[in-house]
Amino acid sequence: MPTFSRSTRTNVPNLNRRTFLGASLGAGLILALEACGGTSSGGASGSGGGSGGGTIKWAWQLPTTWDPVTSSAGSDVQMLALAYDPITALDEQGNAIPWLAESWTYDKSGKQVTFKLKSGLKFSDGSPLDAEAVAKSIERGRTQDGSLIAPQLATIKKVSASGELDVVVELSEVDYQYPLLFAGKTGMVVNPAVFEKDADSLATQPAGSGPFAVTSYTQNDHATMKKNSHFFAADEIEVAAFDLYPQPDPATAVAAVQSGQFNLVRIGGAQVEQAKQAGLDVDVIESMFVSCLDVHSGMAPFDDPAAVEALKFAIDREKIKEVANFGIGDVNYQPFPPGYVGYNEDLAEVYAFDPEKARSLLADAGYDKPVPVVLTSSGFAPAAVELIQAQLNEVGFEAKIETIPGTQHTQLVYIEHSKALTYDGFAGRESPVQAFQVLFGAEGLMNPNRWSNPALEAQLKKVKETPTDAAEYPALLQEATKIAVTSYPNTFLFQTPSIVVRKGVSKLPASPSLRRFEGVTAS
């Protein structure tokens, strides 16, 4: 059984985080992961494993695509994890732990890391998932045209297979973030036999090794899945099928669970009391998701730093939280929750609501008339959007709301960068450096202007060159948070837990980033 020291593994320090990371994964799965070799007998043999039945009917969200490489929404990771396995996972403290890889080793230079895979791994079609397949999958994410995970893999120089189980990642610079990075979408392994033949097919037909395999998919409507008998922890999957749907209209969500249309639904804070009165089970699961305003500093009026700063002070986040989520969640001015290694205490009240200061900032900048701005919304939380509009107008903006269809939202805001101000959210990332790259990097999906701050880049270089279990790591990361929050226009509002209502489905294991279904039963 492998052991881990600094030479073999970089760890996020145990910082006594509060419950946002939740409890550990299912006990049975953890035992399987900790067993020498790490592969359950059911997964290794390809037998069904487990004796449960039933179907989970999960109304949550459909992915923008079933291809992890071109997925354009951070929250896609929840759905993609049904069909794909990442190389590593996160434990309840946010440390990287074995998943497809049973161990990893950095060399003394910090420029090479070798991931040793579990033996007997297979893709959902039964073909071997070996070191060569993993190397090709990583290489595709790094080099394919249109890859949206390529920026996170920029320090990889070469990936190769050494034998059947060892994946050798050679880096152009020291980077101790990869065991964390590979715990999410960036580390999800796609079957090379599929993408080498027809990569476009992955948009609707995933080819992974996760707990479920898609049998049919109707875009924007639903996906039908069955238990993947080749999943390495198949013995822990207690349901035979999994149906995935978009989140229902808030007005009908609770009734849809009562009627049996769905048995597991994500709801908003407004529906919590209704669900409880209906006798349904309601779980509030802490998450890394933070509601925010995405700001394009290359478009008027936010090409003026005074307008950006006025925006940050104009928002009464507590009221927005009350309206958007019925008070569930915590006001926050930065991308990480309190207790997380990247959370900077100095920023706890950095942009506390101050409408008078917002007015003064605009007046001092020479604005003697209301400043026009278009606030873009995908239709999510319209009451919150209207409140933000009113708060902006109160301090000297002239905000108008533009609602665009959800199916076009990602394209217009994050691909075409054509909107100045958008109400949205950031789903968090397994690696804090990756979170910075997505939010603030020169190629960052949620950095509409693609502006890069040299001071932040220099600080992140220090973070990447520091093992995550080193004593100086938290301070280095928190300084990066301070630089980013005070120099970029992104306006963070509040942490948003996942609220789940269920009927006939056992409680979900709480996990740091991904919703897991090992051990979950459905009647």
Side-chain angles (χ1 to χ4, degrees):
M1 184 176 297
T3 57
F4 299 99
S5 63
R6 181 174 297 184
S7 63
T8 60
R9 180 177 170 197
T10 56
N11 294 325
V12 177
N14 185 341
L15 298 177
N16 294 319
R17 305 181 199 176
R18 57 191 191 120
T19 57
F20 93 94
L21 287 178
S24 64
L25 300 175
L29 178 58
I30 290 297
L31 290 174
L33 292 177
E34 290 179 348
C36 293
T39 306
S40 68
S41 59
S45 66
S47 63
S51 57
T55 300
I56 291 176
K57 293 179 285 186
W58 192 29
W60 186 278
Q61 182 180 331
L62 291 173
T64 58
T65 174
W66 284 101
D67 184 354
V69 166
T70 56
S71 162
S72 57
S75 55
D76 280 352
V77 71
Q78 300 291 350
M79 286 62 67
L80 294 174
L82 298 172
Y84 294 97
D85 279 319
I87 295 170
T88 60
L90 298 183
D91 70 6
E92 64 271 21
Q93 280 86 36
N95 302 312
I97 61 171
W99 199 258
L100 291 180
E102 67 176 16
S103 64
W104 47 90
T105 306
Y106 272 92
D107 69 359
K108 291 182 179 180
S109 73
K111 292 185 177 182
Q112 179 176 295
V113 55
T114 299
F115 292 87
K116 179 175 287 293
L117 301 178
K118 296 177 172 69
S119 61
L121 296 172
K122 294 181 180 181
F123 288 106
S124 59
D125 65 0
S127 60
L129 194 166
D130 55 16
E132 182 179 1
V134 174
K136 286 183 176 181
S137 183
I138 296 172
E139 188 67 14
R140 171 180 178 250
R142 186 175 76 91
T143 62
Q144 178 174 296
D145 289 344
S147 170
L148 295 178
I149 64 172
Q152 283 77 60
L153 303 172
T155 58
I156 293 181
K157 186 167 59 175
K158 180 182 177 182
V159 188
S160 59
S162 177
E164 293 185 359
L165 300 180
D166 288 350
V167 182
V168 182
V169 181
E170 298 179 36
L171 308 173
S172 59
E173 59 188 57
V174 179
D175 191 341
Y176 286 98
Q177 292 284 307
Y178 276 94
L180 295 171
L181 185 68
F182 282 160
K185 187 165 58 175
T186 306
M188 288 181 173
V189 179
V190 183
N191 192 339
V194 175
F195 67 71
E196 290 177 341
K197 181 180 180 180
D198 183 9
D200 291 342
S201 70
L202 292 167
T204 57
Q205 302 170 49
S209 61
F212 300 97
V214 173
T215 56
S216 66
Y217 175 58
T218 302
Q219 196 167 5
N220 301 321
D221 188 81
H222 77 282
T224 301
M225 315 176 92
K226 67 177 182 179
K227 176 180 175 176
N228 173 20
S229 63
H230 298 293
F231 176 49
F232 76 88
D235 284 347
E236 297 296 324
I237 301 300
E238 300 290 343
V239 296
F242 198 113
D243 295 340
L244 180 65
Y245 301 88
Q247 185 175 14
D249 184 278
T252 63
V254 173
V257 179
Q258 284 180 292
S259 69
Q261 180 182 0
F262 311 118
N263 53 22
L264 189 64
V265 174
R266 179 178 59 170
I267 61 171
Q271 289 80 50
V272 170
E273 190 57 36
Q274 179 190 2
K276 288 181 177 179
Q277 290 180 358
L280 302 174
D281 294 309
V282 178
D283 300 323
V284 177
I285 305 173
E286 300 270 9
S287 77
M288 292 286 286
F289 192 94
V290 57
S291 295
C292 61
L293 292 170
D294 297 319
V295 184
H296 194 319
S297 59
M299 296 180 68
F302 302 114
D303 51 355
D304 183 345
V308 172
E309 192 171 7
L311 167 70
K312 292 186 176 184
F313 284 107
I315 304 300
D316 186 342
R317 291 161 175 79
E318 192 65 43
K319 284 189 177 180
I320 300 299
K321 183 189 72 175
E322 290 291 334
V323 168
N325 221 33
F326 273 54
I328 298 174
D330 297 313
V331 166
N332 202 0
Y333 304 88
Q334 52 190 299
F336 305 122
Y340 181 71
V341 64
Y343 181 85
N344 191 317
E345 292 283 355
D346 294 341
L347 303 174
E349 298 291 331
V350 63
Y351 295 115
F353 179 51
D354 192 338
E356 191 57 45
K357 184 169 185 176
R359 293 187 193 96
S360 297
L361 285 165
L362 292 177
D364 291 347
Y367 294 102
D368 53 8
K369 295 180 180 179
V371 182
V373 61
V374 176
L375 173 58
T376 300
S377 166
S378 63
F380 175 71
V385 173
E386 291 172 3
L387 182 55
I388 292 171
Q389 177 193 36
Q391 291 177 355
L392 293 178
N393 291 345
E394 180 66 23
V395 302
F397 289 98
E398 185 179 27
K400 295 182 179 180
I401 296 172
E402 176 192 27
T403 302
I404 57 179
T407 54
Q408 301 176 23
H409 183 261
T410 296
Q411 178 68 27
L412 293 172
V413 175
Y414 298 122
I415 307 300
E416 297 181 12
H417 319 130
S418 60
K419 303 300 176 182
L421 182 65
T422 305
Y423 179 66
D424 203 357
F426 175 59
R429 293 297 187 272
E430 288 71 25
S431 159
V433 172
Q434 182 192 15
F436 280 110
Q437 291 170 333
V438 172
L439 289 167
F440 312 114
E443 301 296 328
L445 192 65
M446 297 184 72
N447 181 11
N449 193 32
R450 297 299 200 258
W451 173 71
S452 179
N453 184 343
L456 179 60
E457 294 298 321
Q459 188 65 22
L460 289 179
K461 186 174 186 296
K462 295 179 183 178
V463 172
K464 290 194 295 183
E465 291 177 348
T466 305
T468 56
D469 57 353
E472 64 270 27
Y473 178 78
L476 292 171
L477 185 57
Q478 290 160 23
E479 178 61 21
T481 302
K482 184 175 183 179
I483 294 171
V485 168
T486 56
S487 64
Y488 281 80
N490 308 59
T491 302
F492 301 99
L493 304 175
F494 61 94
Q495 300 295 144
T496 310
S498 297
I499 308 173
V500 175
V501 59
R502 52 189 171 86
K503 178 182 180 182
V505 175
S506 62
K507 191 171 184 178
L508 303 186
S511 57
S513 58
L514 300 179
R515 300 280 75 81
R516 300 301 313 180
F517 292 91
E518 289 76 24
V520 177
T521 60
S523 58

